[in-house]
């Protein structure tokens, strides 16, 4: 047996010891499994946290549209893939945002609990003066009657019928009444808010292609849809980087609102420059199309998406 040969632990093929990687499967020749290697491989495999990330980060932040342009032109191994870049920075952002989520959920539950307790106390005080507060008393009586039915052990069907659900209610109407009943019983809105937050990462995978579709409509003669998608991945990656910086800084020091506003404005300025560099059009057209795409996205797509997410969160929390 030739002592100058090495046997790959992955594919069992033999090769020269001078090779650092197996020429058959690509695994590192002497890859001792340590904690460092384990976590590096995990990050590298799933997030491509390697030299390409560091080569991509600077140009992505300080040279708008540059990486997207190079990627479309064919330089796809030098810089991090747009989808991988987006995934990596999105994970960081939502990790930081999770701390704010928990605080907001607890705060909402606390506020609702105080509101309901205050309302119950107010109901007792108002009930001592029926003549002056007939309308309020009627509304409170209905709520108290519902609570009485719940305490008496009435079925959900009876409670929903009392609330006004029709006899031939379909799935949507029935679900809506049941969720309202659930909310009334628990007196907690934090679960709804948490479900809303949990759906945002999923929604972003639909919003990003929609933004690319808007760009495709504005730049009909500038490449196929995939080119606009590449631009959108890198642009949204920059947005998540900016948001992550804002969250990270505010964890340490509560910066003034006007600084936050200026940082947010940089996202729009970045878009103008990126469009100019990527599509190679005049500054006037770049400003105009940046404004149109932003307005369409923020005033049409985002509100519709928010409404759908809120409805989904209430229906399935």
């Amino acid at each position: 047996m030739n002592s100058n040969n090495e046997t790959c632990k992955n594919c069992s093929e033999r090769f020269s010891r001078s090779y650092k990687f197996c020429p058959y499967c690509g695994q590192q020749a002497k890859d001792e499994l340590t904690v460092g290697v384990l976590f590096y491989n995990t990050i590298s495999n799933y997030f491509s946290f390697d030299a390409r990330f560091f080569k991509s980060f600077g140009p992505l932040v300080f040279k708008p549209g540059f990486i997207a342009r190079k990627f479309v032109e064919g330089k796809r191994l030098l810089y991090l893939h747009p989808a991988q870049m987006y995934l990596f920075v999105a994970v960081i952002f939502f990790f930081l945002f999770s701390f704010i989520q928990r605080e907001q959920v607890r705060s909402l539950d606390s506020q609702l609990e105080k509101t309901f307790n205050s309302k119950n106390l107010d109901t007792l005080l108002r009930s001592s003066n029926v003549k002056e507060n007939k309308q309020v008393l009627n509304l409170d009586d209905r709520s108290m009657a519902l609570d009485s039915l719940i305490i008496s052990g009435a079925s959900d069907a009876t409670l929903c019928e009392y609330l006004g659900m029709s006899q031939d209610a379909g799935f949507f109407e029935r679900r809506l009444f049941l969720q309202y009943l659930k909310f009334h019983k628990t007196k907690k809105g934090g679960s709804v808010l948490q479900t809303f937050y949990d759906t945002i990462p999923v929604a972003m995978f639909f919003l990003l292609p929609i933004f690319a579709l808007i760009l495709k409509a504005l730049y009909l003669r500038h490449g196929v849809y995939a080119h606009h998608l590449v631009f959108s991945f890198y642009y949204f990656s920059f947005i998540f980087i900016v948001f992550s910086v804002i969250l990270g800084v505010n964890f340490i020091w509560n910066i003034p609102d006007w600084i936050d506003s200026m940082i947010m404005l940089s996202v729009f300025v970045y878009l103008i420059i990126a469009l100019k560099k990527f599509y190679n059009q005049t500054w006037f057209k770049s400003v105009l199309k940046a404004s149109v795409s932003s307005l369409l996205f923020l005033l049409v797509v985002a509100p519709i998406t928010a409404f759908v997410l809120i409805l989904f969160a209430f229906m399935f929390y």
Side-chain angles (χ1 to χ4, degrees):
M1 183 178 293
N2 191 344
S3 60
N4 292 326
N5 289 339
E6 182 81 22
T7 301
C8 178
K9 296 178 181 179
N10 180 56
C11 66
S12 300
E13 295 287 346
R14 296 186 62 78
F15 55 90
S16 174
R17 287 182 180 272
S18 61
Y19 294 154
K20 294 184 179 180
F21 296 89
C22 173
Y24 299 97
C25 68
Q27 178 169 291
Q28 189 172 344
K30 297 179 180 180
D31 188 12
E32 296 296 332
L33 185 60
T34 63
V35 174
V37 170
L38 176 62
F39 281 96
Y40 175 82
N41 288 341
T42 301
I43 296 174
S44 178
N45 289 335
Y46 289 96
F47 302 110
S48 290
F49 191 77
D50 53 20
R52 288 184 300 160
F53 173 80
F54 295 105
K55 289 179 181 178
S56 305
F57 185 83
L60 174 65
V61 175
F62 300 108
K63 300 176 71 174
F66 174 79
I67 296 182
R69 189 69 199 172
K70 292 299 180 182
F71 190 88
V72 169
E73 289 176 352
K75 294 186 177 181
R76 297 170 187 172
L77 294 180
L78 183 60
Y79 302 107
L80 195 61
H81 191 281
Q84 292 173 319
M85 173 66 78
Y86 171 80
L87 176 62
F88 182 76
V89 297
V91 167
I92 294 177
F93 167 75
F94 285 111
F95 171 74
L96 295 174
F97 189 60
S98 65
F99 295 99
I100 296 179
Q101 289 182 28
R102 289 196 291 267
E103 182 60 32
Q104 290 183 345
V105 168
R106 287 195 295 265
S107 177
L108 180 59
D109 282 337
S110 177
Q111 290 296 325
L112 286 175
E113 184 178 359
K114 291 179 181 179
T115 299
F116 281 115
N117 290 339
S118 176
K119 179 181 176 182
N120 292 336
L121 177 61
D122 187 57
T123 300
L124 294 175
L125 294 175
R126 291 176 186 272
S127 63
S128 63
N129 195 342
V130 178
K131 293 183 180 180
E132 294 181 5
N133 301 282
K134 288 183 178 180
Q135 185 176 1
V136 176
L137 184 61
N138 289 337
L139 293 176
D140 290 334
D141 277 348
R142 186 173 181 81
S143 178
M144 293 178 65
L146 180 61
D147 290 333
S148 299
L149 288 173
I150 294 174
I151 294 174
S152 66
S155 65
D156 287 348
T158 301
L159 296 173
C160 289
E161 183 179 349
Y162 174 77
L163 289 172
M165 186 180 73
S166 57
Q167 295 287 342
D168 57 344
F171 171 81
F172 180 82
E173 182 182 356
R174 186 178 300 276
R175 183 75 181 184
L176 186 62
F177 275 91
L178 286 174
Q179 290 298 93
Y180 173 78
L181 187 60
K182 178 181 177 180
F183 178 80
H184 184 86
K185 288 179 178 180
T186 60
K187 303 293 192 298
K188 292 184 179 294
S191 298
V192 181
L193 183 61
Q194 184 62 59
T195 304
F196 173 78
Y197 283 143
D198 291 341
T199 56
I200 293 179
V202 178
M204 291 304 300
F205 279 98
F206 295 95
L207 290 176
L208 192 149
I210 292 176
F211 184 78
L213 191 62
I214 294 174
L215 293 180
K216 175 61 178 175
L218 294 174
Y219 295 94
L220 287 173
R221 300 179 181 179
H222 290 75
V224 297
Y225 174 72
H227 293 178
H228 309 290
L229 199 57
V230 168
F231 178 89
S232 300
F233 269 121
Y234 283 125
Y235 176 57
F236 274 69
S237 297
F238 172 77
I239 293 176
F240 278 126
I241 289 173
V242 171
F243 287 173
S244 298
V245 170
I246 293 176
L247 290 178
V249 171
N250 275 283
F251 283 148
I252 302 173
W253 174 53
N254 189 18
I255 60 178
D257 292 339
W258 69 269
I259 296 181
D260 284 337
S261 300
M262 292 299 294
I263 296 175
M264 294 299 298
L265 181 62
S266 70
V267 174
F268 179 69
V269 175
Y270 181 96
L271 177 61
I272 296 174
I273 301 173
L275 291 177
K276 172 68 172 64
K277 300 297 183 181
F278 184 76
Y279 294 103
N280 196 26
Q281 290 192 337
T282 64
W283 284 107
F284 175 78
K285 288 184 177 180
S286 299
V287 172
L288 178 62
K289 292 183 179 182
S291 301
V292 172
S293 59
S294 298
L295 288 176
L296 283 175
F297 191 80
L298 294 176
L299 300 183
V300 179
V301 178
I304 293 175
T305 303
F307 173 77
V308 173
L309 292 184
I310 292 172
L311 182 62
F312 178 86
F314 182 76
M315 295 291 283
F316 297 99
Y317 78 95

